[in-house]
Amino acid sequence: MRVVTWNINGIRTFRGGIKKALDSLDADIICVQETKVTRDLLDAQTAIVDGYNSYFSYSRGRSGYSGVATYCKDAATPFAAEEGLTGLLTTHEGAVGCYGNQAEFSRDELQMLDNEGRAVITQHKVNCQDKEEALTVINVYCPRADPEKPERKQFKLHFYQLLQRRAEAILKDGSHVIVLGDINTSHQRIDHCDPSDKDDFDENPGRKWLNVFLHGVGQEEEAVEAAEFSEVISTLPGSGGKFVDTFRYFHPTRANAFTCWSTLTGARQTNYGTRIDYILADRHLAKGQFVAADIMPEVEGSDHCPVWGQLSCSLLPSTKPPPLCTRYLPEFAGKQQKLSHFFARTDQKSSLPEQSETLPGSQEEEEKRENLSPVADKTGQKRLLKSDSALSKGKKTKSVKTASNPQGSLLSFFKPKVTNVIASGDTPVGQRENRQKLDAVAPSQISRTADVSATAGGETELRCNGSQPCSSTEENEQRTPTPQAAKKSSSSVFWKSVLHGPPPPPSCKVHGEPCALRTVKKEGPNMGRQFFVCARPQGHVSNPDARCNFFEWVDKGK
């Protein structure tokens, strides 16, 4: 069997071909994180994929945020499935169970840990050396510790603790366990592009937790780490070292093997990233059944890349998916229709956002709403309701005559209008002479050598080569600008002095190339200020093709 995990940074990564994308990953169980889709935005195209059965977890508090999903081939249909780690979201039969000791958490804390839609658990049966065994796959999207929000650091540590308790409880119950997904912490220095930038690298609480959770850190060092970590986060007695990082199990010394890069700095071009996506298996399963594991940096579409693992055991599918399967949801099972279907017929494809070339970085900036639900034309609905109301009250409707000419395009409103057109018989002598001169000039000559403009009074004026008027009459020679034209000219000068464009970019000192303009978005005294940096992608300081350290504030006076 083959398993794959991938932080897709929005379900739109699969838009236009979800089945094709799943098939290309060539796996029996595909776990994706950061779907950014909530229950109300989940459509049939995403939930029901031919040849697969899917299981979703959604954020309860924010739309377009977090979320995980597990797609299983029909030949890998699980026997049980559950949303979340706490058991509070399970209201049906077919749950996985085995929740461990949760006494240290209040019910509100447990509810908050599951409300962001960060875990889906599926339990399968596998044939390992002619022996039927249970295998539980825990698909997680662990929180990020925002430096500007101290409470999120504690939230992340509590999530790690709850994850460990649940995984070890299932393992103790007799099932093999695979924990996979975006763990959001690079474990060792070899998993980080530049660990020297972080003075407290080894003191990071997330790394200390991984040292306890994973086997192979070194028994003496592990005991010290466990003792120190107990001050930060509580762990089960003797619980350290029950899982194995399968990638490091097969590639213990491979460097520059990263799974996440910042899209804001173009760091993927220079492979300046971190390895924060893992397939973690219990020690007996890793050593007895795993035959290979690796990353797929060549697969694009997100700021993360997929990670895969291959096992020698074969899957024994269930004859029926568990109740959590999305095909059983009322809106997809034909039991209930959405209310919006009764008011308007919408084209779902037209509502979906187009794939942009530059994807937002899920680890570096706030998540934005990626999936838009089809919305009917509210204006049209209001007009329809208004007319229906009028008819229901018995009021007479007033017919409105439509114009015989069709409505012009938007550009027609911006074209110059010719006003005060005088009939040829009433044209003054001076203007008649000018018109005769215009008629004598070929159109091609007019376009190259002359400019025909209309004055405020509606008179036509011929200018040769953009200079003085070509009229020989004293009236045209002595013509002075109108007050309206003078006012317009002074207004134009004023707005040009105020609304000037961005300053010309300087060249960086190392590469001699034009710099990129950036804006400070972090709250503080410099928020909103603009600055120039080297336009090349971010990379290690020793990489000559990477961004240099050029920095220059934009002078407000420019």
Side-chain angles (χ1 to χ4, degrees):
M1 62 174 287
R2 177 182 167 96
V3 295
V4 167
T5 176
W6 189 15
N7 182 317
I8 57 175
N9 191 16
I11 202 69
R12 66 172 185 170
T13 301
F14 288 164
R15 287 294 183 188
I18 295 181
K19 178 174 173 53
K20 182 179 179 181
L22 294 176
D23 290 344
S24 67
L25 294 173
D26 189 24
D28 301 287
I29 302 173
I30 301 172
C31 300
V32 295
Q33 301 86 41
E34 204 170 356
T35 60
K36 300 182 181 180
V37 62
T38 47
R39 169 75 180 272
D40 60 319
L41 299 178
L42 184 64
D43 55 27
Q45 179 186 2
T46 305
I48 312 298
V49 182
D50 186 29
Y52 296 84
N53 48 92
S54 60
Y55 308 86
F56 278 74
S57 180
Y58 325 91
S59 172
R60 265 69 174 176
R62 293 172 57 183
S63 182
Y65 175 77
S66 190
V68 298
T70 298
Y71 288 88
C72 301
K73 281 187 176 180
D74 290 341
T77 302
F79 285 78
E82 188 175 334
E83 181 185 4
L85 297 175
T86 65
L88 297 178
L89 302 180
T90 303
T91 58
H92 53 75
E93 297 180 357
V96 176
C98 304
Y99 301 101
N101 184 7
Q102 301 178 353
E104 296 184 10
F105 297 100
S106 66
R107 184 178 178 85
D108 290 341
E109 288 176 331
L110 292 174
Q111 192 75 52
M112 289 177 61
L113 289 169
D114 264 352
N115 273 353
E116 294 187 358
R118 294 185 175 274
V120 161
I121 306 176
T122 56
Q123 194 166 67
H124 310 258
K125 289 184 180 180
V126 294
N127 187 358
C128 300
Q129 300 174 351
D130 297 330
K131 181 182 179 181
E132 183 177 310
E133 299 184 34
L135 172 61
T136 304
V137 178
I138 305 179
N139 175 14
V140 291
Y141 173 40
C142 297
R144 182 175 71 94
D146 191 340
E148 299 180 1
K149 299 178 180 179
E151 69 277 6
R152 294 299 291 181
K153 179 180 178 180
Q154 191 68 19
F155 183 85
K156 179 177 182 177
L157 294 177
H158 284 168
F159 189 90
Y160 281 156
Q161 180 183 8
L162 186 64
L163 172 61
Q164 180 173 350
R165 290 177 181 273
R166 184 71 191 274
E168 291 176 349
I170 296 174
L171 185 63
K172 185 178 180 180
D173 192 56
S175 171
H176 287 297
V177 177
I178 295 178
V179 177
L180 77 175
D182 182 356
I183 305 300
N184 238 324
T185 298
S186 56
H187 183 203
Q188 305 176 55
R189 290 179 178 270
I190 195 175
D191 301 317
H192 198 284
C193 58
D194 197 0
S196 61
D197 284 351
K198 300 183 180 297
D199 298 331
D200 57 345
F201 186 89
D202 296 324
E203 298 300 318
N204 182 281
R207 294 186 180 94
K208 289 187 175 183
W209 173 78
L210 281 172
N211 289 340
V212 174
F213 187 68
L214 298 180
H215 176 74
V217 178
Q219 297 301 324
E220 295 181 0
E221 181 182 356
E222 181 177 323
V224 175
E225 293 289 355
E228 294 178 354
F229 189 64
S230 62
E231 299 178 0
V232 182
I233 181 173
S234 60
T235 58
L236 292 175
S239 62
K242 287 183 169 54
F243 289 85
V244 172
D245 179 356
T246 58
F247 175 82
R248 284 293 167 217
Y249 182 75
F250 292 99
H251 314 282
T253 59
R254 186 197 290 184
N256 300 318
F258 305 133
T259 63
C260 179
W261 305 265
S262 171
T263 56
L264 298 177
T265 60
R268 194 164 189 168
Q269 301 177 40
T270 57
N271 195 26
Y272 192 74
T274 55
R275 190 174 72 92
I276 60 177
D277 302 88
Y278 302 84
I279 296 178
L280 311 176
D282 68 82
R283 296 189 330 195
H284 296 291
L285 184 68
K287 296 179 180 180
Q289 299 299 325
F290 267 84
V291 296
D294 212 334
I295 62 176
M296 304 170 68
E298 70 279 2
V299 178
E300 299 182 349
S302 171
D303 57 337
H304 293 247
C305 76
V307 180
W308 62 270
Q310 190 81 27
L311 293 83
S312 60
C313 56
S314 58
L315 283 156
L316 301 174
S318 172
T319 56
K320 182 181 180 181
L324 186 66
C325 184
T326 51
R327 68 178 59 176
Y328 295 139
L329 293 177
E331 55 265 37
F332 303 130
K335 298 180 181 179
Q336 177 182 346
Q337 295 292 329
K338 290 184 177 181
L339 189 62
S340 59
H341 292 174
F342 294 94
F343 291 98
R345 183 178 180 181
T346 59
D347 184 5
Q348 192 170 5
K349 294 183 178 179
S350 63
S351 310
L352 299 176
E354 297 181 356
Q355 178 79 27
S356 60
E357 296 181 358
T358 303
L359 292 173
S362 63
Q363 309 300 332
E364 304 295 337
E365 63 179 352
E366 281 286 68
E367 290 87 352
K368 298 179 182 178
R369 183 168 179 166
E370 303 290 345
N371 307 280
L372 302 177
S373 57
V375 181
D377 184 1
K378 296 182 180 180
T379 304
Q381 289 182 356
K382 290 181 179 180
R383 291 175 180 173
L384 179 62
L385 294 174
K386 184 176 181 179
S387 60
D388 291 345
S389 177
L391 291 174
S392 62
K393 292 181 180 180
K395 295 182 180 180
K396 295 182 179 180
T397 57
K398 184 178 181 181
S399 59
V400 180
K401 295 183 179 180
T402 58
S404 58
N405 297 330
Q407 183 178 2
S409 64
L410 186 62
L411 294 176
S412 63
F413 293 93
F414 297 95
K415 295 180 179 179
K417 297 181 180 180
V418 179
T419 57
N420 299 335
V421 179
I422 305 176
S424 59
D426 300 331
T427 304
V429 178
Q431 296 184 24
R432 190 180 299 119
E433 292 178 356
N434 289 340
R435 182 164 300 176
Q436 291 174 356
K437 293 180 181 180
L438 284 174
D439 296 338
V441 181
S444 61
Q445 295 175 344
I446 294 177
S447 63
R448 290 194 305 266
T449 63
D451 175 30
V452 180
S453 59
T455 63
E459 300 173 350
T460 303
E461 178 179 342
L462 179 64
R463 295 184 179 274
C464 298
N465 295 326
S467 59
Q468 297 297 326
C470 295
S471 173
S472 59
T473 61
E474 294 181 359
E475 178 183 357
N476 286 337
E477 291 177 353
Q478 298 178 358
R479 184 176 298 152
T480 57
T482 62
Q484 293 86 347
K487 183 178 180 181
K488 181 178 180 180
S489 177
S490 61
S491 177
S492 176
V493 172
F494 168 75
W495 285 113
K496 285 183 178 180
S497 64
V498 175
L499 302 177
H500 53 78
S507 297
C508 64
K509 306 302 182 183
V510 177
H511 306 106
E513 300 172 350
C515 292
L517 182 63
R518 298 284 187 262
T519 303
V520 178
K521 296 183 179 180
K522 183 178 180 180
E523 293 185 1
N526 291 323
M527 185 175 180
R529 289 191 65 182
Q530 292 182 315
F531 59 93
F532 288 107
V533 292
C534 179
R536 293 200 176 193
Q538 185 182 15
H540 196 272
V541 65
S542 62
N543 187 349
D545 296 327
R547 172 188 300 176
C548 63
N549 60 355
F550 179 85
F551 179 90
E552 181 179 304
W553 287 111
V554 174
D555 188 356
K556 295 182 178 180
K558 294 183 179 180

